[in-house]
């Protein structure tokens, strides 16, 4: 099972590298992650992203695509909780260069694979959703 999980994570990360013009994309087959699980996964991924890209500064703006899913809302809230300014409407001041963020949630084998990526880094981790939230089911995968 661990080999299968490692293979899936590696395949997911490699497939995220194959975007046109270095553009970031979100998953075309998202899984609905709701409630406490969405919050737990978003909180963990936001904290791991903050570890990798550094603390939020006065000019650190993260640009996300507009999405009404619970996971997207939880991820936006978690990033704001870390001090980042988050823009979802695409309106960014001319003097600000935002960090573009793509994310996806995909289901497999009773678990979900969460991916968060910027043009310079991609993070992925499998989680086991529970009634109280979600617990990591794999180590964090980091691609620079």
């Amino acid at each position: 099972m661990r080999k299968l999980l490692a293979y899936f994570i590696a395949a997911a990360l490699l497939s995220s590298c194959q975007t046109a013009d270095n553009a970031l994309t979100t998953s075309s087959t998202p899984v609905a992650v709701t409630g406490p699980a969405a919050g737990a996964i978003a909180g963990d991924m936001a904290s791991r992203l903050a570890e990798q890209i550094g603390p939020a500064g006065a000019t650190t703006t993260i640009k996300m695509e507009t999405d009404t899913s619970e996971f997207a809302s939880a991820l936006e809230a978690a990033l704001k909780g870390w001090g980042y300014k988050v823009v979802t409407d695409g309106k960014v001041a001319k003097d600000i260069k935002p960090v573009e963020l793509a994310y996806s949630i995909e289901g497999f084998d009773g678990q979900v694979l969460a991916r968060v990526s910027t043009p310079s880094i991609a993070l992925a981790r499998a989680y086991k959703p529970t009634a109280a939230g979600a617990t990591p089911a794999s180590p964090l995968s980091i691609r620079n």
Side-chain angles (χ1 to χ4, degrees), residues 1 8 10 29-30 48 54 57 62-63 68 86 89 93-94 107 113 126 129 135 139 144:
M1 180 68 184
F8 186 76
T29 57
R48 301 305 180 153
I62 294 179
K63 181 180 175 186
T68 59
V86 180
D89 61 6
K94 291 181 181 180
L113 176 66
T135 57
N144 290 329

Side-chain angles (χ1 to χ4, degrees), residues 73-85:
S73 297
L75 183 59
E76 180 181 351
L79 290 166
K80 286 179 178 179
W82 279 92
Y84 296 102
K85 180 179 179 185

Side-chain angles (χ1 to χ4, degrees), residues 26 35 41-42 64 72 88 99 102-103 118 137-138:
T26 58
I41 294 168
M64 295 173 54
T88 58
V99 175
Y103 55 90
T118 69
S138 73

Side-chain angles (χ1 to χ4, degrees), residues 5-115:
L5 181 60
Y7 173 77
F8 186 76
I9 290 173
L13 286 175
L14 289 175
S15 69
S16 69
C17 295
Q18 300 173 359
T19 58
D21 300 325
N22 292 328
L24 299 174
T25 60
T26 58
S27 173
S28 60
T29 57
V31 171
V33 177
T34 60
I41 294 168
D44 183 51
M45 292 304 283
S47 70
R48 301 305 180 153
L49 182 65
E51 289 173 356
Q52 298 300 314
I53 66 172
T59 60
T60 305
T61 300
I62 294 179
K63 181 180 175 186
M64 295 173 54
E65 293 296 320
T66 301
D67 185 346
T68 59
S69 70
E70 280 192 56
F71 178 73
S73 297
L75 183 59
E76 180 181 351
L79 290 166
K80 286 179 178 179
W82 279 92
Y84 296 102
K85 180 179 179 185
V86 180
V87 175
T88 58
D89 61 6
K91 296 179 182 177
V92 180
K94 291 181 181 180
D95 59 334
I96 302 291
K97 173 117 173 88
V99 175
E100 294 198 28
L101 183 75
Y103 55 90
S104 67
I105 295 282
E106 299 172 10
F108 65 97
D109 236 6
Q111 298 180 353
V112 293
L113 176 66
R115 293 187 290 173

